[in-house]
Amino acid sequence: QVQLVESGGGLVQAGGSLRLSCAASGSDFSSKSMGWYRQAPGKQRDLVAFISRYGTIKYSDSVKGRFAISRENAKNTVHLQMNSLNSEDTAVYYCTSGRFDGVTYSPGDWGKGTPVTVSS
């Protein structure tokens, strides 16, 4: 089991930026695909972005062009750079580790989440 700890959430004005980070435990980080989910109040938890072990990246349509996911295997860390934030980005953001089969990303382990609030 991988332990995941998110950081970097907070309050930001609309149009601003935040960078989320996720530190993972374990020695096989580079073999895992990593993803970010978010859950807004009263809504389901949705996949925002993932990066596979080989560097394949996909984004949800709602964040494409504004968010960027990256990973630093030497530091067991994955980041989510979030730009041009708007009120619809307000949510708790969760880091996950999982698998990508070439079509679908499937999360396995989850972090506890970090809240992001965008004020208008």
Side-chain angles (χ1 to χ4, degrees):
Q1 186 175 5
V2 177
Q3 291 189 337
L4 304 167
V5 179
E6 303 96 336
S7 61
L11 176 64
V12 63
Q13 289 188 335
S17 299
L18 279 177
R19 188 190 195 208
L20 305 182
S21 297
C22 172
S25 65
S27 59
D28 60 347
F29 178 81
S30 62
S31 71
K32 297 187 181 297
S33 296
M34 302 296 295
W36 288 94
Y37 283 73
R38 68 183 181 185
Q39 186 169 21
K43 295 188 177 181
Q44 66 180 21
R45 193 173 295 186
D46 293 324
L47 178 63
V48 174
F50 73 85
I51 181 168
S52 77
R53 58 182 293 186
Y54 299 115
T56 299
I57 291 174
K58 292 192 177 181
Y59 299 98
S60 67
D61 288 343
S62 61
V63 307
K64 200 173 296 183
R66 300 188 298 122
F67 289 14
I69 189 170
S70 61
R71 64 190 299 160
E72 294 184 78
N73 287 340
K75 296 183 178 181
N76 281 19
T77 301
V78 62
H79 304 286
L80 185 68
Q81 178 67 43
M82 306 186 296
N83 301 323
S84 301
L85 288 162
N86 59 60
S87 58
E88 294 185 348
D89 297 316
T90 294
V92 177
Y93 285 72
Y94 298 89
C95 176
T96 67
S97 68
R99 296 179 63 252
F100 177 58
D101 64 7
V103 176
T104 303
Y105 173 73
S106 299
D109 296 301
W110 293 75
K112 294 183 178 180
T114 185
V116 171
T117 303
V118 183
S119 63
S120 56

